[in-house]
Each structure stands twice: as structure tokens, then as C-alpha cells.
Amino acid sequence: MLNDEQLLRYSRQIMLPEVDIAGQEAWLKASVLVIGLGGLGSPVAMYLAAAGVGRLVLVDDDKVELTNLQRQIVHRTSTIGQSKVDSAKTALIELNPDTDVVAINNRLNGVALAKQVAEVDLVVDCSDNFTTRFAINDACVKYKTPLVSGAAIRFDGQVAVFDPRREDAPCYRCLYREGDDENLTCSESGVIAPLVGIIGSVQAMEALKVLADVGHPLVGKLLLLDGRHMDWRTLKLRRDPECPCCGNKNN
């Protein structure tokens, strides 16, 4: 049951007929794992906290550096040298003290990653390498946890939603295979600051839609942005029956 302060804080969302009280309560009860507190994870975490997601588990093993501040808006000059998860936790609690923020200053893999994925309602992948993305996808498929994936480099970004609860839905490995990793990073290739804000905001929107069953999430679709021309494209994705993760031989 929402209290008076919550009714006021979230009033602009509650007045939306698609959301209403039921949608807001769904967000307040939800637990989300955000992996990566950099350019994408910053707006994701901030918007999910602001929207009233009840529990956010933040995972990152990096520290805040001066070069991060051009685009990683959850961090501040005063938090340079701190772990990114602690820096982000401070900002999120100031934004919405009702959100329970758990900071994990580590790079999760194997059993540790699986444990966190199994305990949440949704995962938002804001990492920057294929090895981590594959591991996150595999855990999400195993535990049937919805996954919102995003990537951004230079002027280009993409977002997709993978929902293993749906039998016809593809997974991340249906889109990419081992060996596709070009090792592109912002430090090597550059990135325009607002791009990660745009893509991260779309990830947050998709996460909220899935959690409250609102609208039509990007399941079976890949949303692409060319920031140079502000050109959006949507590609249809199909489940690959030969996928090494979710294919027929694995079911």
C-alpha cells in the first residue's frame, strides 16, 4: 500500500492509466540487477530509482576517474577515486531514499553471478564487453530472468529486450556469437556524451515496461540509433533453433 508521500512522489506516473496504482506497486516491489555503473548504468540506475523501483543491486569493480565524468552522470568530481558502486549508491539514496540500494564492488561471474540473477526480477546489462554479456545472458536464460541489453560507442547505440519466459523469444546469443567481440571500448574508440544517456534512458524505460507489464517491450527486436543523423531503426530478431544457449538441443 502506497503511503501519502509515495503517492505524491510518484503522482505523475500514477496518473498514467497504463500505470496507475498497480503499476507503481509493481515497481516498488521489484528487484533489479544493474551490471555496470558507467555511461549506460548511470541513467539506468538514476531513472529506476527515481521511478520507484524498490531494490537496486549495483555491480561494478571499477573506480571513478576524471575521464568518466564526461558521460557517467551518476558520479561527481568529489567521488573520483571511490568505487563506482559506492559513488552511485550515494547519488541514488539522495535521489530517492526509499530505494534499497545494494552495492557490489566486484566483477561477478560463475556461481556469484548466477546467484544474483536468480534473486532479482530483471537484469539490465550495462557492461562493455562480450564476455560479460554472454555470461549475463546465459544466467538469465537459465533462471528465466528478463534481460534488458544496451550498448553504445562513438555515435551508435542499440537496445534489445530478451525475455526467456517467452518460448518464442530469442536470447543474446541468437544475435551474437563467440568471436564477435571487437574489443571496442569508449577509451579506445570514443563516445559522444549524450549517446549513453539516450540509450541508458531507453533501457530504463524498457525495464519499467517489463516489470509493470506496460506497453510492448522490445522483445524480439533490436533498436538501433545512428546519433550522427538521429536515425532510429528497428530490426526483428528471431530465436535461433541452433543457438548454443537457448536452442532446441538445450531444452
Side-chain angles (χ1 to χ4, degrees), residues 2-12 14 21:
L2 297 172
N3 59 40
D4 290 344
E5 184 176 327
Q6 290 172 325
L7 287 170
L8 183 59
R9 178 184 285 269
Y10 308 120
S11 60
R12 300 302 188 270
I14 294 171
I21 294 291

Side-chain angles (χ1 to χ4, degrees), residues 217-237:
L218 290 168
V219 179
K221 298 178 181 179
L222 177 65
L223 182 64
L224 300 171
L225 170 62
D226 175 355
R228 299 170 189 83
H229 304 96
M230 201 47 66
D231 179 36
W232 293 90
R233 291 188 299 148
T234 303
L235 306 180
K236 290 185 178 180
L237 301 178

Side-chain angles (χ1 to χ4, degrees), residues 44-250:
V44 165
M46 293 178 75
Y47 273 119
L48 293 184
V53 171
R55 185 171 185 265
L56 293 176
V57 182
L58 312 179
V59 177
D60 200 308
D61 65 344
D62 286 339
K63 293 183 178 180
V64 179
E65 299 178 0
L66 179 60
T67 56
N68 300 149
L69 302 182
Q70 164 255 0
R71 64 199 177 281
Q72 299 181 15
I73 59 173
V74 77
H75 308 302
R76 300 290 181 266
T77 301
S78 61
T79 64
I80 290 175
Q82 288 186 19
S83 69
K84 286 186 177 180
V85 290
D86 288 335
S87 170
K89 180 176 180 177
T90 298
L92 298 181
I93 291 175
E94 290 180 356
L95 179 61
N96 188 352
D98 289 340
T99 297
D100 178 23
V101 182
V102 179
I104 300 178
N105 183 22
N106 204 348
R107 184 181 293 266
L108 298 184
N109 51 52
V111 175
L113 175 61
K115 180 178 183 296
Q116 294 299 326
V117 170
E119 293 179 351
V120 298
D121 300 301
L122 181 140
V123 177
V124 187
D125 181 1
C126 303
S127 63
D128 62 358
N129 66 87
F130 277 85
T131 300
T132 300
R133 292 169 186 162
F134 286 144
I136 294 169
N137 174 78
D138 293 354
C140 286
V141 170
K142 180 178 180 179
Y143 293 102
K144 296 189 180 301
T145 305
L147 169 63
V148 180
S149 175
I153 197 76
R154 302 188 183 106
F155 282 85
D156 303 304
Q158 65 179 48
V159 181
V161 177
F162 304 101
D163 194 343
R165 300 172 301 179
R166 293 174 46 171
E167 292 186 2
D168 61 335
C171 78
Y172 188 80
R173 284 185 185 264
C174 293
L175 178 62
Y176 292 107
R177 288 287 192 268
E178 300 279 3
D180 286 342
D181 194 347
E182 299 179 13
N183 293 317
L184 294 178
T185 63
C186 295
S187 62
E188 296 173 348
S189 304
V191 62
I192 191 73
L195 176 69
V196 290
I198 296 170
I199 297 301
S201 296
V202 174
Q203 286 183 273
M205 172 74 86
E206 292 300 303
L208 292 172
K209 287 162 60 180
V210 172
L211 291 169
D213 193 20
V214 172
H216 301 281
L218 290 168
V219 179
K221 298 178 181 179
L222 177 65
L223 182 64
L224 300 171
L225 170 62
D226 175 355
R228 299 170 189 83
H229 304 96
M230 201 47 66
D231 179 36
W232 293 90
R233 291 188 299 148
T234 303
L235 306 180
K236 290 185 178 180
L237 301 178
R238 288 187 172 86
R239 186 170 184 175
D240 182 358
E242 301 300 319
C243 174
C245 182
C246 72
N248 295 334
K249 64 181 180 180
N250 299 298

